[in-house]
Amino acid sequence: VEKILVEDGATVQQGQLLAVLSNADLQLSTLARQTEVEQQLNNMRSQELALAQSRSANRRDVLASELDYAKAKRQMDIYRPLAERGFVSGKAYRDAQDDLAFQQRRTAVLREAAATDERLQSSQLGQLRASASSLNASLGIARASLDQLNLRAPVSGQLTAFSIQLGQSMERGE
């Protein structure tokens, strides 16, 4: 018993704090659990950040690829009539065709990869959030066990047979 807030015979209200108990093992255990949960939550936030950064990088890669494809298409649109009239060499024209085909395939591959990453990341993000919720719930349980060290009046009325003393050791449920 660490602190007694009311005396035997006092009138109390339901939920009123009567005494405060201490349990060093429980407090240390709860503190360790809280620290562990907070570390895990921080790790999950770091993973969420990494997923967001990966998503942004995928978008940038797709945009850059689309831009390169548009440039290659414009180049072909310019070269095609010139090549037909003989103003552009056959090699330059074929190189422009190859570049256009490459940029088109590259864009398609990047879009497909980004879509796959997005599906996987969405699933992983959902799992991370569920894990975080579970961790927070377990932390709530640990904190609730600490709150049980506060003795409260179960009902309103006059307190009787309340004979605890400072420093007294009590067993669980006593």
Side-chain angles (χ1 to χ4, degrees):
V1 177
E2 191 172 290
K3 190 186 294 183
I4 300 173
L5 302 169
V6 294
E7 296 293 325
D8 192 30
T11 302
V12 295
Q13 299 299 316
Q14 182 177 1
Q16 181 179 342
L17 191 58
L18 305 176
V20 178
L21 306 178
S22 67
N23 181 334
D25 289 339
L26 179 61
Q27 290 168 328
L28 288 174
S29 166
T30 302
L31 183 60
R33 181 69 181 140
Q34 182 174 351
T35 301
E36 179 185 314
V37 166
E38 287 173 358
Q39 286 175 341
Q40 290 176 349
L41 289 172
N42 282 335
N43 289 341
M44 288 180 187
R45 284 186 203 104
S46 294
Q47 289 176 341
E48 276 190 59
L49 178 61
L51 290 175
Q53 289 172 337
S54 174
R55 187 177 287 149
S56 292
N58 286 344
R59 287 181 186 141
R60 280 191 304 273
D61 290 345
V62 168
L63 286 173
S65 175
E66 289 172 344
L67 177 63
D68 291 343
Y69 174 73
K71 287 178 181 179
K73 186 165 177 16
R74 267 195 309 272
Q75 188 67 35
M76 273 302 298
D77 290 344
I78 292 170
Y79 274 16
R80 185 173 292 119
L82 295 175
E84 289 171 357
R85 293 188 184 138
F87 294 120
V88 173
S89 70
K91 180 191 178 320
Y93 182 70
R94 284 189 303 278
D95 286 348
Q97 279 181 319
D98 291 344
D99 187 43
L100 178 62
F102 167 75
Q103 294 300 341
Q104 186 176 21
R105 287 191 307 271
R106 177 175 164 237
T107 299
V109 166
L110 286 173
R111 283 181 182 154
E112 184 179 320
T116 300
D117 281 355
E118 182 69 29
R119 280 192 309 275
L120 293 174
Q121 288 172 353
S122 292
S123 171
Q124 188 176 8
L125 190 58
Q127 290 171 348
L128 283 173
R129 289 189 175 142
S131 293
S133 177
S134 175
L135 285 171
N136 280 323
S138 84
L139 185 58
I141 291 169
R143 287 181 178 149
S145 67
L146 267 184
D147 189 52
Q148 290 176 0
L149 292 175
N150 296 323
L151 297 180
R152 298 188 182 278
V155 293
S156 297
Q158 186 172 6
L159 187 61
T160 58
F162 190 67
S163 58
I164 63 173
Q165 298 176 4
L166 285 177
Q168 177 182 348
S169 291
M170 300 180 81
E171 295 298 319
R172 181 173 291 229
E174 188 176 343

